[in-house]
Amino acid sequence: MFDPVQLRSFLTVAQTLSFTQAGRRLGLRQSTVSQHIRKLEQAAGRRLFSRDTHGVELTEDGEAMLGFAGTILEANERAAGWFAGSRIQGRLRFGTSEDFVLTRLPEVLEAFRRDHPGVELELTVGLSGNLHERLAAGRLDLALAKRLRPDSGGELMWRDKLVWIGAERLRIDLDRPVPLIVYPPPGLTRARALEALEREGRSWRIACTSGSLSGLVAAARAGLGVMPHTEGMVPAGLVRVAPRAGLPDLGRVDFVLAHSGQPSSSPQRPGAAANALAAAILAAGDRLHRQRSS
């Protein structure tokens, strides 16, 4: 049997690709996290991570363990919630960025509602910047979104690379303005794309603006232009634009779980429901970082 504590450490390292970051999230020393991974590898009889001076990467067996770890931890969270002494009740205002529309987040929310029927879940889908504003204003209890700034708080879920994507047949003319498919302000990916292009001295034009991911994807599939998007969640029918297009690097982006700071000691308070949903999302882990099969 695999130890849930070791699986939690494994899942956190897999999401952050950093033993140091995993330790910070879990409130553990780096040496303790390393010990958990070592014991889990001994139990599995396989290496789960390859480690060198350049960083940490999952091995093929580590990729396989991701699915098992998420399933085991999610079942553990559901069992703990079921047998808890008090049932969580009340309203929970949860916000999520458009990035997760096509992932398995709906399945996580469905399981949460089934396990916590006393919670009235109110979902808001929007741009990360707007979600953080609503959270700060007390209009949300929990948000799953991109981190605005390195010091803006939130519990790190994972880091991903921002890349340019578009239709497979799309060709970028280096002598003409780059046609952009972007969210409206204050979209984080929009701001990052414009900053990168202007830094490189590349001209650009807005080919499509939409507040919904489905609108952007439709425009990209139609070949109207390129859009900045997270590498781990590229929608079906779109591909990463080849480097020969001469588009600038967009760097990385952090996804975080951010709480409103509501007290959570009582099962009637929003904080208790927010903590329960946050635990379910963390247990789902890497399954939210990949597109759901169409």
Side-chain angles (χ1 to χ4, degrees), residues 10-273:
F10 164 77
L11 197 58
T12 308
V13 174
Q15 291 165 359
T16 61
L17 294 180
S18 166
F19 282 75
T20 301
Q21 290 287 348
R24 289 174 184 168
R25 182 202 283 185
L26 296 168
L28 301 173
R29 295 180 179 177
Q30 180 179 339
S31 59
T32 303
V33 175
S34 297
Q35 184 181 51
H36 288 170
I37 300 304
R38 185 166 56 253
K39 289 183 176 180
L40 184 62
E41 289 179 327
Q42 290 173 352
R46 308 285 179 87
R47 286 192 64 193
L48 304 177
F49 292 103
S50 59
R51 285 154 275 190
D52 56 32
T53 56
H54 299 293
V56 179
E57 297 290 341
L58 282 164
T59 63
E60 184 176 348
D61 289 315
E63 293 279 358
M65 179 63 80
L66 272 179
F68 297 130
T71 300
I72 293 169
L73 289 174
E74 187 175 359
N76 188 61
E77 293 291 344
R78 292 176 60 188
W82 179 264
F83 292 107
S86 56
R87 297 293 178 88
I88 299 173
Q89 299 180 27
R91 183 171 64 135
L92 171 59
R93 300 165 300 174
F94 172 58
T96 181
S97 69
E98 284 276 344
D99 303 87
F100 298 96
V101 169
L102 301 179
T103 71
R104 296 180 66 180
L105 180 61
E107 298 173 21
V108 175
L109 297 180
E110 181 184 15
F112 176 82
R113 292 185 65 251
R114 182 174 61 249
D115 297 338
H116 302 285
V119 175
E120 181 183 337
L121 182 62
E122 181 181 302
L123 177 65
T124 298
V125 179
L127 301 178
S128 293
N130 293 335
L131 294 177
H132 284 288
E133 290 177 1
R134 292 174 66 89
L135 198 68
R139 298 199 297 272
L140 287 177
D141 304 306
L142 180 71
L144 175 60
K146 299 185 188 75
R147 197 198 309 261
L148 297 176
R149 302 177 307 276
D151 60 346
S152 60
E155 184 174 10
L156 178 65
M157 283 288 292
W158 57 75
R159 286 193 172 95
D160 200 355
K161 186 174 183 180
L162 281 180
V163 296
W164 299 97
I165 64 173
E168 188 170 3
R169 65 185 180 279
L170 179 69
R171 298 294 180 267
I172 300 297
D173 189 338
L174 298 178
D175 297 323
R176 303 183 66 181
V178 178
L180 296 179
I181 299 172
V182 289
Y183 289 112
L188 270 67
T189 52
R190 174 194 179 107
R192 185 75 66 84
L194 297 185
E195 290 170 2
L197 288 168
E198 291 175 358
R199 187 172 57 248
E200 295 288 326
R202 290 292 303 273
S203 60
W204 51 270
R205 65 178 180 85
I206 302 297
C208 174
T209 300
S210 175
S212 72
L213 179 59
S214 58
L216 298 179
V217 170
R221 287 174 178 166
L224 298 187
V226 295
M227 61 182 285
H229 199 68
T230 47
E231 186 176 37
M233 294 187 281
V234 176
L238 299 176
V239 298
R240 182 173 176 179
V241 176
R244 63 175 177 272
L247 297 174
D249 181 74
L250 294 172
R252 294 182 177 273
V253 65
D254 292 349
F255 285 92
V256 297
L257 267 174
H259 292 254
S260 66
Q262 293 274 4
S264 58
S265 57
S266 167
Q268 305 293 328
R269 300 299 295 268

